[in-house]
Amino acid sequence: MTETVLQLDNVSKKIGQKEIVHNISFDVRKGEVFGLLGPNGAGKTTIIRSIVRLIKKTSGEVHISGVNVDENFKDAIKNVGAIIENPEFYMYMSGFNNLKQFARMSRKDIPQERFVEIVEQVKLSHAIHNKVKTYSLGMRQRLGLAQALIHEPDLLILDEPTNGLDPQGMREFRELIRSLAQNGTSVLISSHLLSEIQQITDRFAIINHGKLTHIESMHELEKEAKVTIQLEVSDPEAAKLVLESLDIEIKAQVEQQLTLELASDFVPEIARSLVKANIDILELAKVHVSLEDRFLALTNGGETK
Ligand SMILES: Nc1ncnc2c1ncn2[C@@H]1O[C@H](COP(=O)(O)OP(=O)(O)OP(=O)(O)O)[C@@H](O)[C@H]1O
Ligand SMILES: [Mg+2]
């Protein structure tokens, strides 16, 4: 049986008369990267804040590693690391001293080597003894990650963490998250951009107007998404006949090059059929995967679960 590290059951939050989060249930398994995806104002931060009790939920239950956060908060939270909105630092202290200060508040005894290790992992060794006020946004994000990870939590919660990271930083961030998950850490990560977390999440929930509308695995999403393919063949006229017989739409043709749009899991079938009809495939390239389109369709599409 897969171990559940985080479990939400019917979590709701009302502010005044307004229910900003409505009956949210999902779970995050050991070693899984789970995404909360939704547009601005959807309720992602509110869900995350209720998990770690930064706000009081109106109803529902949250369990972390089997411990109910309302019954035994200290035990539930001791194996959680989180970055929620912008992490706050002592600006006139060095990154290293911020980290030390933060570690003192954690209930665990953290050995000296762990500081060096985590600072290296988030690639901040070169600046860790400089004052935080001299840090760029991306460097502050990295320091936030180091804080969240210093005590080696079982569950890492990140609310829109890639804000301020450059492409290189994004890539390092993705690698870090994947390697943490491989080593058994569970990660809950929110974003309003699918493209930002597409490569790292195993499953995701779509949040819209405070409701959970869909849970899907990235693998399923990729299978359902359409891809645009550029295909260069020896005999385009014969190829068109084969493709038409398979009900594939040809979007464009330039000499021997055909542009097609199809479900991504259908690509091998096309290749096989063309080869069978003695048509040589000179080149086959994916030019566009419409995951974002599929995501938008899910976000706007009803409340089917
Ligand atoms: N303290 C509050 N009082 C009143 N309304 C609030 C409060 N906090 C949040 N809201 C409302 O609840 C909704 C959800 O907000 P939340 O911050 O959870 O969204 P989000 O998904 O994190 O958005 P973003 O992507 O912009 O961070 C918004 O409509 C917001 O205006
Ligand atoms: Mg938010």
Side-chain angles (χ1 to χ4, degrees), residues 40-41 43-46 85 159-160 190:
N40 292 136
K44 305 177 297 291
T45 300
T46 307
E85 281 161 354
D159 191 17
E160 313 246 7
S190 85

